[in-house]
Amino acid sequence: NTDSQGNPFLVPGATVATILMLGALHARRMYNDKKIEEARERGIELEFQPDAKAAFLRLLPLRSISRLWGTLTSVELPVWLRPHVYKGWARAFHANLEESALPLEQYASLQEFFVRTLKEGSRPIDPDPQCLVSPVDGTILRFGELKGVRPMIDQVKGFSYSVSSLLGASSFLPLIAEGNVHEESSEEEKAPTEKSKKTWWRISLASPKVQDPVSVSPMRGLFYCVIYLRPGDYHRVHSPVDWNVLTRRHFSGHLFPLNERATRTIRNLYVENERVVLEGRWQGGFMAIAAIGATNVGSIKLLIEPELRTNLPIRKLMHSEQPEERVYEPEGIGMMLKKGNEVAAFNMG
Amino acid sequence: STVVLVFQAPVPKSPNQKDSSPEFSFCVKSGDRIRVGEALGR
């Protein structure tokens, strides 16, 4: 009788073993994360340590994996199942369900839930006209002032990438590289020559402390801030200040993961990954935002340019008509965004 | 995903600067959790 039914313990045994293995992996991951957290609290800077796993990641078809992930997460879920899936996601990734604008049953798929909006008033904008606000929810990874003619941002201790590679051949960054930048004098501003109109401003970075004797504007430096969004965070991007967006650049690139571990082991992560850069001008001078995608969050939607598509399949990438760089009309004025306006959204896959 | 901001802003006064021109400074620390609309710097 036992033979004819096969081994009754096979399926339950395999199921239990799988659950135990997944539990062990999750526990190990949580333990690692805790170790990293404690290290950071003790001020121990994580070193850059490329390893075999990072090299292996370069061999994987990450874009196809990302697009498959997007296909899976866009599957419409039965209404009764939705709250269970989204509560499970919220528990795993510390998402705050109370703030979701809609009842959970109204998000047809995990992808829709991921790019959810929040209840009115959930994110009050700091009213101080002199302040620059966070464009996203997330964790502050690094920030500071950039100096020198080739400004570099640390990925982690022991490895950094250049701002001009991150933003692309920006209208002012080559001027830094050549070191021939200077504050536009009021005479030049009054009667802009063709060149100054083209670059619409130039800045003194080679020697930021030297204030142009003619212009009344204060001395200016170049600053940066890197903010990491966890899977459970609110994934819409807002405007950090009142500014004019003049140019949009899209770099198709790769889709490496952007988690803590990847940041410590994959070279040039932020400069290699697919990203969308908005560049323009605010009262303080130059302003740029780079939204960088990752394997699980490969798509970046721009509310100011809905037709832009990112995370395209390789074959489409080759023949894509969309411009890699777009200057917003009217040239030199571009699109006006108020502080707190919604600008873009990260989406799954 | 990650967002990187790069922006120009007034730099802190140099010792010999007399006038009261504004100066930008961050009001966050590495590792801080932050939300949309909260001040990064003033």
Side-chain angles (χ1 to χ4, degrees), chain A residues 129-182:
Chain A
Q130 294 294 324
C131 92
L132 182 143
V133 299
S134 177
V136 291
D137 280 18
T139 306
I140 304 284
L141 287 189
R142 331 186 72 79
F143 64 92
E145 187 178 356
L146 294 161
K147 306 198 181 189
V149 287
R150 247 183 83 73
M152 303 290 279
I153 297 178
D154 282 350
Q155 182 171 314
V156 283
K157 192 173 173 184
F159 199 81
S160 55
Y161 53 96
S162 78
V163 173
S164 55
S165 307
L166 177 77
L167 302 183
S170 168
S171 52
F172 93 87
L173 285 169
L175 296 175
I176 299 181
E178 293 146 27
N180 67 349
V181 291
H182 57 84

Side-chain angles (χ1 to χ4, degrees), chain A residues 45-328:
Chain A
E45 176 60 76
L46 300 164
E47 300 282 333
F48 181 73
Q49 298 152 340
D51 61 12
K53 277 189 200 168
F56 174 65
L57 270 177
R58 288 181 182 281
L59 305 175
L60 291 181
L62 292 173
R63 185 171 297 281
S64 308
I65 293 170
S66 175
R67 292 179 56 74
L68 173 63
W69 172 240
T71 307
L72 287 177
T73 55
S74 59
V75 169
E76 184 156 343
L77 300 172
V79 177
W80 61 269
L81 184 59
R82 294 173 186 176
H84 303 287
V85 170
Y86 305 151
K87 283 176 183 165
W89 175 274
R91 200 169 304 115
F93 296 110
H94 317 294
N96 179 346
L97 294 178
E98 306 308 316
E99 298 175 323
S100 301
L102 305 174
L104 296 182
E105 290 77 5
Q106 292 194 27
Y107 295 108
S109 66
L110 184 57
Q111 202 172 67
E112 256 188 44
F113 168 74
F114 185 80
V115 75
R116 64 195 176 282
T117 53
L118 302 182
K119 282 186 181 115
E120 197 60 38
S122 299
R123 292 291 179 275
I125 306 300
D126 189 304
D128 176 356
Q130 294 294 324
C131 92
L132 182 143
V133 299
S134 177
V136 291
D137 280 18
T139 306
I140 304 284
L141 287 189
R142 331 186 72 79
F143 64 92
E145 187 178 356
L146 294 161
K147 306 198 181 189
V149 287
R150 247 183 83 73
M152 303 290 279
I153 297 178
D154 282 350
Q155 182 171 314
V156 283
K157 192 173 173 184
F159 199 81
S160 55
Y161 53 96
S162 78
V163 173
S164 55
S165 307
L166 177 77
L167 302 183
S170 168
S171 52
F172 93 87
L173 285 169
L175 296 175
I176 299 181
E178 293 146 27
N180 67 349
V181 291
H182 57 84
E183 192 68 15
E184 201 162 72
S185 68
S186 53
E187 277 73 30
E188 212 174 327
E189 274 166 332
K190 280 184 200 119
T193 61
E194 195 45 45
K195 181 160 174 50
S196 64
K197 220 188 309 180
K198 188 174 85 55
T199 54
W200 47 269
W201 57 284
R202 292 196 254 164
I203 57 175
S204 76
L205 263 183
S207 48
K209 302 296 181 199
V210 174
Q211 182 173 5
D212 181 322
V214 177
S215 78
V216 292
S217 63
M219 295 182 292
R220 286 175 171 163
L222 194 63
F223 297 86
Y224 76 97
C225 185
V226 182
I227 305 173
Y228 170 66
L229 293 83
R230 295 182 314 198
D233 283 332
Y234 167 61
H235 266 74
R236 286 176 180 257
V237 185
H238 295 248
S239 177
V241 290
D242 294 349
W243 63 310
N244 290 57
V245 185
L246 301 170
T247 312
R248 180 272 296 153
R249 263 183 224 106
H250 170 224
F251 303 83
S252 41
H254 299 280
L255 280 171
F256 294 117
L258 283 177
N259 55 41
E260 178 93 47
R261 196 185 164 286
T263 310
R264 278 186 294 115
T265 58
I266 300 176
R267 224 167 262 288
N268 279 326
L269 195 53
Y270 299 113
V271 172
E272 288 211 30
N273 262 26
E274 179 153 25
R275 62 194 181 282
V276 173
V277 174
L278 295 179
E279 190 179 285
R281 185 181 177 82
W282 73 305
Q283 68 172 18
F286 175 81
M287 168 64 70
I289 298 187
I292 307 172
T295 316
N296 59 345
V297 183
S299 294
I300 297 161
K301 299 258 186 280
L302 282 188
L303 278 77
I304 58 174
E305 190 184 342
E307 64 276 17
L308 177 70
R309 286 287 169 273
T310 67
N311 200 357
L312 290 176
I314 299 289
R315 56 183 154 69
K316 273 198 186 168
L317 266 182
M318 302 305 173
H319 313 102
S320 137
E321 289 78 37
Q322 67 189 16
E324 286 315 289
E325 174 163 328
R326 175 174 167 181
V327 176
Y328 290 125

Side-chain angles (χ1 to χ4, degrees), chain A residues 11-70:
Chain A
V11 173
T15 310
V16 169
T18 306
I19 290 170
L20 286 175
M21 186 188 68
L22 288 175
L25 283 173
H26 189 62
R28 177 164 168 264
R29 163 119 183 242
M30 288 173 71
Y31 173 73
N32 284 345
D33 287 354
K34 188 152 180 46
K35 298 291 280 178
I36 286 170
E37 204 62 42
E38 284 164 6
R40 183 190 288 116
E41 274 154 21
R42 288 201 306 272
I44 295 175
E45 176 60 76
L46 300 164
E47 300 282 333
F48 181 73
Q49 298 152 340
D51 61 12
K53 277 189 200 168
F56 174 65
L57 270 177
R58 288 181 182 281
L59 305 175
L60 291 181
L62 292 173
R63 185 171 297 281
S64 308
I65 293 170
S66 175
R67 292 179 56 74
L68 173 63
W69 172 240

